[in-house]
Structures are given as structure tokens and as C-alpha cells.
Amino acid sequence: MKNLLALTFFIFSFVPLLSKSQTAEQGIIRGKVIEEVGGLPIPYAVVSVTEANSESPNATFQTDENGFFKFINLKPGIYKVKVSFVGFNNFVISDIYLTPTDYEKNIGSIKLGQSQNSLNEVVITGEKPLIETDGDVITYNVASSIHAEGSSAVDILKDVPMVEVDIDGKPTISGMRSTRIFINGRPSDYMTANIADLLNVLPSDAVEKIEVMTNPPAKYSADGEGIINIVLRKDFKVGFNGNVGIGAGLQGNKNANANASYKGKNYSVNGGGSIRSSVGESYNENFRTNTFPNNTYYYNQYNNSNSDNGGANIRVGLDWDITKKQNLKTSASYAANNGEGLTINNFHHLDDAYVEKQLRNQLNGWDNANKTMVFNADYTYRIDTSGNSLSMGLTLNTNDNNTFRYYDRKYVFPTKTPTLQHNNNDISNEGLNFNLDYEKQLSKKRDRLEVGMAIGVRQNQNDLLVENYNFKFEEFRKNDKLSNDFIYNEKIYAAYASYNIRRKGWSARAALRGEFTNVDFDVSTAQKFVVNPYFSAFPSLSLNRFFKKKYNIGLSYGLRVNRPRENTLNPQVNNADTLNISYGNPNLSPSYTHQIALSMGMYGRNWSFNPRITYSRATGVIERYRFVDGQTGVSETTFDNVGSNYYLSYILIGNYRPTKKTSFNGNFTLIQSNYQSSMNASLNRGGISLRSRAGMSLQISKKAAFEGSINYANNLVAQGRNKSSINSSLGYRQNFFKNKLSARVAANDPFRGRHSYSSSDGINFSTESFTENNTNNFTFNINYRFSRIKTNKVVVPPASKVVSKTN
């Protein structure tokens, strides 16, 4: 690892020396021209730039095949840009200011509507729509939500279409068993043992958008059935600006955050930090019926839990245009989490007549500390102005997690000797990911070729020390049976090629990714497993057709893999509840999933509707599997390749804006699943899963907004069903002092805490579990924006937000 660090430092230190000296300062105006409906780029549109007091243009160009244009060598002044194309409205964007310190303006995507023989002048008044859909990607623009301030990434994810967030803060894509979480295109699960820890301290202010990829591009790892990519903010203005905020809730949660950035002529630096604390409370009831040939008995458990959690996050970044063709982006972050908690467990053993035979009380206490450091570096070389480029990226990460737990078991009836146990669990992760990508425009810039390679190296070490108290000698002694040092090593080498075609309303993509996997792990000092290295090929195809400027239809296919990793392979036994133990399975095999999706898009002036049908078939499905030992009555939960599974899902995503100030959005998912297993007849089952979400936002005035949402989920799993109660959120935001100060009041699950129900059954048991959490909370946040420069005059909105006037 040290040699790799040295090599990396050499590469990124040497690259800037390749550049030529920086050219003299010059003004630049750039942008892209697309269709208002459908979002297709408009090639060969005529674009001119004119000084404010001049009648003749300074320059006139045509957009390239992808709709891009760029004017250079402009002196400081005020300009206007005119865009025209046959069959579409002409647009003029006025008051574009270029100064010696703010000499480059990207006016973004200009949307042209159908021609009405009029010239429109754009007055910018709005922002991006909350939700955008495009083929296999659903984009949630965080800045358009009132939860963009004073929240965490977990809070935002709860409102993203097709995303579910469990009570611990872990997000998944609806209908997909294995979801990868990426941050800026990098896999975050390489960075920490628990992704929820990282997301809970990542402030929403630092997030620009969240992308849900149901059929990820070939440049991304083939792991998982889908990817949630969290894109952090990087669109900083010239000069110095930032924000600070504080918040608190009635449940005892508190947060504070600050972000700042400075942009010079050819570089920008940014940084930020946040601290958070929260209090958790939950109540759980679990009922198990054990059915054997000669006996039936019951285990009933009642649990009360309390926890206190806190965390902090610090981030710094640099974006440097070394020359016109070369760019280097680097960032570093540090996150720390800590917490403590206590669970009181009452366990009742009843016979077949429901008469109590045993009562046991147990105290479970824990103390946790987690630290994560991540470094990213991305270098891009723009070969020419046609979009041909070469880029490489590097991610280094380290994570340390220590958890101390104690279990104090006392037998009330009948009286027995109590037991006291200490578990000390140290987990460390170290990882390195490197990628090299090349992109080339072909066939008069209508086609695009992408090729690349990637290397991922990772080690996870999980050291568990279990000690039991010896009452005779009054000391703790190591439990050799439960203690174990688990070491996991993984190397994945990948290469990919992707070809994209665009022709008169048609677009197509064909890609192939190959991955060579080499894994080994120790389950103790004397035993080592070596998984035979294997090569996997992952083809993907997509075809999209846009027509009548209001509709699009797409068909896609992809093959994905779910590799067993340390959390499922580790055989260390968790005996927090001695009658319900759990452990991993070191004999797991990868699971492969074929996915086919048919998607449609229909767009109107103030609405959009996106239905989607997906068929998926997986072999060697990895899921939790429970069985009860017939001799001891102990329930054992582990992972296994439970069999095959197919599902057919129907997904509806819609947006409706009846007025300029009111917006409704929602999504509904229905999934028909079927499990087939040769290992256990109880796993042969089928059924329907439901997920739904509805949301609305209301712009009460220029300075006030209201937002609300409601969610529901009911999921089928291999051995049963998980049902969550309805959870909801409401929020109101008010701006003051020319929008520099904003205050937000939010209510999460305002009527009651989140309730959930789950059931499972096997050959000789059935269980039911009810859980209630204190998610009902009212929070208040204040956020202040500061800036030493004026806000840019030009920000491009969606067509629905443009206010126009006819000359």
C-alpha cells in the first residue's frame, strides 16, 4: 500500500509539468442547446454573441453534434446570446456579465420550444425540476427541495423515487436485493463498514443531486443490481462564498454545518464540516412458535432500546484547470461517528399449553467508535474541442471501527447461575481503486466510443474477542470457541468498452465489461479459504427512441453480479441472544442476475409520466436463511445461496405542475416475485411486494415554500414478509434578508413513530415481529448564506420555470 501511495503521488505531481504555460486571460461563454420536450441535443443550431451596445454580433457559430457551443477571446463587458433553429422559437439570453475576475460563464442547457414565430427574451426566475428521468437514470435535484438545508444525506434519500431507507439509514433501490452506494461515481462501501454511518453525517448542503441507476453504464462496477450515486456539489461561483447552519429537534437531535468555497481564475477550493447528534428509542416484540414431531413450545421476547449517537464530517477539495486542456480535481474527507446504547430484553419460554416455564432478563450494552478517511484524485486531459478526452482517477480509503458490547443474563425463573459476557470487535478496511478512461467522438460526432480499465484492491480485518466471566475465579476469560480473527482480501481487475449511437431521434448503446476476481480469507489463524479466481463478462444493451418531441421509449438489458463479501462470509457467531444466534457462511458463491427493462416517457408542458416494466431473473440468490435446531431449540440465522428468483415489476413515476407554484410527484411499484429452492421446500414461495410514495411542494410566495411526502412499503423475502407502516414528512421554509437567511420547520412522522411488522416461517418454526421506533420528530433549522460577490446574472432553468416576453 505504501508503494502504491508513492506511485500515485508521483503520477499526480508529474502531470502538471506536462502542461504549457497558462495563456493570457480571456472571456468565455459556453452552453448547450436542447429540445424543450425530450431533452435531445440540437446540432447545427445557430448561436451568436453580441455586446450589449452593438447591433452586429461579435461571432456566430453552429452547435456541434451534441448541441454544445463555446465563444472565446471575449473582452470584459455585457453580452447577449441569441439561439435560433428552423422549427423552434428563437431565444435571447441577456445581461451576461464578464469581468476580469469573473471571465467565464457556462449558461447551461438552453431549451428550445416549438416555433410560434416570435422572439423570446429569457428572464431567469427558477431552478431545476425536483425529479428528472432519462432512460435508466432517475435524477433527484437536491437543491430544488426545501430539505436541501439542515438535513443529512439519509433524510434526502427518503424522498428519492424508487429508493427505500431502512430504520438504520441504509438505502436500497426498490425491488433489488443488492444495491451499491456510490459517492461521486466511487463505491462508498469500500470506505466504511456501515454506509449508514457515512450518510448520517454527510450534510444535505454538500449534495448536488442523487442518481438512481437501474442499468448502470459499463464504466461502473458490475456489482449489485443497481447503483445510487450521490453527487456532491462542485458548482461554486467566482469569489468567496458559503453558508453556515444550525438545527435541533424535539427528540434531542442537534446539528451544525458550515461550507465555504473560493474560486479564482483557473482554480477553486472548497471545504466544509458538520457535526450531528441524535437519540434513538425503539420497542420490539418477537414471537416464535417451535413445532416438532413430539412437542410444540413458544419463545416470546420483549425489548426496549435506547441509544445516543454523534458524528462529525470534514471535507476539503481542489479543482484546478492546469491548462485549457488539463484539469485536476482532488478531495479529502474525514468522518467520525460514536455512539452508546442499552437494550433491556425479557425472554419468556412457554410450553404447548402456553404456561411459562422460564423467564430470563438480559441487559445488552454497547459502545461504538468509527473513523473513516477518503482521498480522491481525478485528472482529465481534453484532447480537442470535439469531446475527446482521457481521464484517470484514484480513491484511497481507510476505516476503523471498534465496538464493545456486554451481555448480562439473569434467570428469574427458575433460578440459575447468571452469565456475563464481553465482546470486543475491531474492524478495519483499507482500499485502493484506480480507473483509466478514454472517450472519443466518431462518425461526425454522432457516435461515442468509451473504453477503460479499473483496479480495485481491498482488505477487511475483523477481530472479535469474546470473554466470559468466571464467577469462581472472579475474572473474565477468553472464549476460544467464539473468538476469531477474520481477514478478507479482494482484488478485482476490470476492462470495458461502450459504443453509443445517436441518429434522428434514435439512440443506442452496446457495452461489455469484463472482471477478473481474486479473493481469499482467513477464518482463524489456522484456516484459510482461497476462492478460485474467476472471470466474468457483463454485456449490456439499451435502445431509445424519441418521437414527436413528447414521447420516448427505451429497452435495456444488463447482467449483474452479487459477490459474497465479508459481511456474508464471516463465520463469527453473534450470540447477543443465545436462543437466536447469527453468523456468515464462508461457502457462498456469487449470484448472477439478468435484467430486462422497458421504459416509456411522456412529457407535457406541465407534466411528465414515466412507466417502466422490469423483468429480472437471478440464480444462486444470496439471502438470509433461518432454521431451528431440533435438539436445542436455538434459532440460527446465516446466509446461503437460497436458490433462484424471478420478479416482474411495474413502476410508475409521475410529475404534475398544475400551476407555477404547485407541484406533485409520486411513484408506485408493484413486484411479483417467485423463489425456487432445492435446499428447502419452505423457500418455494411467491407473492407481491408493494412500494409507493406521494409528494407535493407549494411555493407560497417568493420567500416561502411548503413540502410534504408519504411513503409505504410491503416486501416479500425468501422466508417471509417485511411490512413497514406509512411514514411521512412535512416541511415549511421561509427566507429573509434577500434570501440570505432561511429558516425551516420540518415534521417527520408527525402522527406517530414508524411501525414495522415482519414474519417468517420454516419447516419447524414460524415467527412474527413488531417494532416501533421514535421517528416522530419536529426539527428547526436556520441557514445563512454569505458571499463577497454578486450572484451571477445567468442561471439556466427548466422550460417550465422560464418567464418570457415577445419583442
Side-chain angles (χ1 to χ4, degrees), residues 256-278:
N257 66 86
N259 297 277
S261 67
Y262 178 81
K263 184 171 182 179
K265 295 180 180 179
N266 63 337
Y267 71 94
S268 67
V269 291
N270 60 84
S274 66
I275 55 174
R276 300 179 65 85
S277 66
S278 62

Side-chain angles (χ1 to χ4, degrees), residues 31-52:
K32 183 180 182 180
V33 181
I34 63 175
E35 295 180 14
E36 177 182 355
V37 179
L40 285 172
I42 300 179
Y44 313 117
V46 178
V47 186
S48 63
V49 61
T50 307
E51 289 189 76

Side-chain angles (χ1 to χ4, degrees), residues 565-770:
R565 287 198 161 90
E566 61 273 14
N567 61 318
T568 58
L569 295 169
N570 189 348
Q572 293 175 350
V573 175
N574 179 352
N575 72 332
D577 181 349
T578 55
L579 294 174
N580 293 278
I581 66 173
S582 62
Y583 49 87
N585 180 1
N587 298 308
L588 291 174
S589 300
S591 172
Y592 292 90
T593 303
H594 297 266
Q595 297 179 158
I596 301 175
L598 175 66
S599 61
M600 297 182 63
M602 293 169 275
Y603 306 90
R605 182 178 180 85
N606 58 353
W607 61 272
S608 68
F609 182 58
N610 302 88
R612 182 190 302 262
I613 301 175
T614 302
Y615 173 79
S616 171
R617 182 168 183 83
T619 58
V621 174
I622 300 174
E623 282 203 16
R624 290 184 182 275
Y625 169 64
R626 173 184 283 186
F627 62 93
V628 173
D629 188 293
Q631 300 295 323
T632 64
V634 173
S635 168
E636 300 186 29
T637 301
T638 185
F639 294 88
D640 215 320
N641 297 102
V642 297
S644 62
N645 167 268
Y646 81 80
Y647 71 76
L648 185 64
S649 65
Y650 306 88
I651 304 170
L652 305 177
I653 303 172
N655 292 273
Y656 176 57
R657 187 181 294 274
T659 68
K660 293 180 180 180
K661 294 184 177 181
T662 308
S663 175
F664 296 92
N665 60 80
N667 61 86
F668 173 80
T669 302
L670 185 150
I671 303 172
Q672 171 64 52
S673 302
N674 187 283
Y675 286 88
Q676 297 174 344
S677 174
S678 59
M679 65 176 287
N680 192 315
S682 68
L683 297 176
N684 293 325
R685 68 177 67 233
I688 291 176
S689 298
L690 295 173
R691 288 108 176 190
S692 62
R693 178 191 178 276
M696 65 87 65
S697 61
L698 173 64
Q699 193 72 35
I700 301 172
S701 66
K702 290 183 178 180
K703 294 185 177 182
F706 171 82
E707 188 172 78
S709 68
I710 187 169
N711 297 266
Y712 174 77
N714 188 331
N715 306 320
L716 180 75
V717 294
Q719 279 189 286
R721 181 172 292 277
N722 296 327
K723 179 182 177 182
S724 298
S725 66
I726 295 174
N727 58 86
S728 58
S729 65
L730 303 170
Y732 174 80
R733 182 182 65 195
Q734 178 76 46
N735 293 342
F736 305 92
F737 305 117
K738 298 181 180 181
N739 294 329
K740 288 185 177 182
L741 181 70
S742 66
R744 178 172 65 89
V745 179
N748 298 311
D749 294 327
F751 306 108
R752 68 172 187 176
R754 183 178 300 184
H755 288 60
S756 61
Y757 163 81
S758 65
S759 62
S760 64
D761 56 83
I763 294 176
N764 55 8
F765 76 93
S766 63
T767 66
E768 290 184 297
S769 180
F770 303 87

Side-chain angles (χ1 to χ4, degrees), residues 227-499:
I227 290 174
I228 299 174
N229 185 35
I230 300 172
V231 181
L232 302 183
R233 289 183 55 190
K234 54 184 178 293
D235 52 340
F236 300 101
K237 301 180 180 70
V238 173
F240 179 72
N241 58 94
N243 66 275
V244 293
I246 58 173
L250 296 182
Q251 292 282 12
N253 55 302
K254 300 178 286 294
N255 69 81
N257 66 86
N259 297 277
S261 67
Y262 178 81
K263 184 171 182 179
K265 295 180 180 179
N266 63 337
Y267 71 94
S268 67
V269 291
N270 60 84
S274 66
I275 55 174
R276 300 179 65 85
S277 66
S278 62
V279 176
E281 296 179 2
S282 66
Y283 174 74
N284 170 262
E285 297 178 354
N286 186 277
F287 307 101
R288 173 151 62 93
T289 301
N290 305 278
T291 306
F292 298 102
N294 300 319
N295 190 17
T296 297
Y297 55 93
Y298 307 92
Y299 287 157
N300 296 345
Q301 291 179 265
Y302 304 88
N303 307 302
N304 283 282
S305 299
N306 295 274
S307 64
D308 291 289
N309 299 279
N313 175 274
I314 300 174
R315 307 169 311 280
V316 293
L318 168 68
D319 188 337
W320 178 24
D321 287 324
I322 305 167
T323 68
K324 292 181 180 179
K325 292 186 175 183
Q326 298 185 80
N327 176 267
L328 177 64
K329 295 183 178 70
T330 62
S331 65
S333 65
Y334 173 81
N337 292 270
N338 59 78
E340 60 183 11
L342 179 67
T343 298
I344 301 174
N345 171 278
N346 293 314
F347 168 82
H348 302 265
H349 180 190
L350 304 100
D351 63 15
D352 57 353
Y354 226 70
V355 175
E356 187 167 63
K357 294 298 182 180
Q358 180 179 302
L359 172 60
R360 186 191 74 189
N361 294 336
Q362 178 171 307
L363 294 179
N364 298 346
W366 58 271
D367 192 311
N368 173 264
N370 186 307
K371 299 176 181 178
T372 301
M373 295 184 65
V374 182
F375 171 78
N376 286 310
D378 293 280
Y379 168 76
T380 301
Y381 178 75
R382 294 180 285 271
I383 298 173
D384 51 38
T385 58
S386 301
N388 300 329
S389 64
L390 180 69
S391 61
M392 61 180 176
L394 177 80
T395 300
L396 296 169
N397 63 271
T398 179
N399 167 258
D400 293 292
N401 182 84
N402 176 263
T403 302
F404 174 78
R405 300 179 184 274
Y406 71 86
Y407 309 115
D408 185 358
R409 305 180 181 105
K410 296 180 180 179
Y411 296 86
V412 180
F413 170 79
T415 303
K416 298 168 68 174
T417 302
T419 62
L420 184 60
Q421 178 178 312
H422 286 174
N423 287 18
N424 200 328
N425 199 187
D426 285 310
I427 303 174
S428 64
N429 285 281
E430 290 185 349
L432 179 150
N433 287 272
F434 175 80
N435 65 278
L436 181 65
D437 303 285
Y438 173 71
E439 182 176 328
K440 183 173 179 59
Q441 307 295 322
L442 300 170
S443 186
K444 298 181 180 179
K445 304 178 185 178
R446 294 178 297 179
D447 300 350
R448 185 172 76 253
L449 172 68
E450 295 178 79
V451 296
M453 55 81 67
I455 300 172
V457 180
R458 188 165 62 94
Q459 181 183 84
N460 171 277
Q461 183 169 354
N462 190 328
D463 185 5
L464 175 63
L465 173 63
V466 178
E467 296 177 312
N468 294 106
Y469 189 73
N470 187 303
F471 286 90
K472 179 179 180 179
F473 295 96
E474 298 184 345
E475 64 181 9
F476 281 95
R477 293 186 174 182
K478 180 180 179 182
N479 185 324
D480 292 320
K481 183 178 179 180
L482 297 178
S483 299
N484 193 9
D485 189 6
F486 177 84
I487 302 175
Y488 175 89
N489 296 291
E490 176 187 273
K491 300 180 181 67
I492 298 178
Y493 308 91
Y496 76 92
S498 175
Y499 197 85

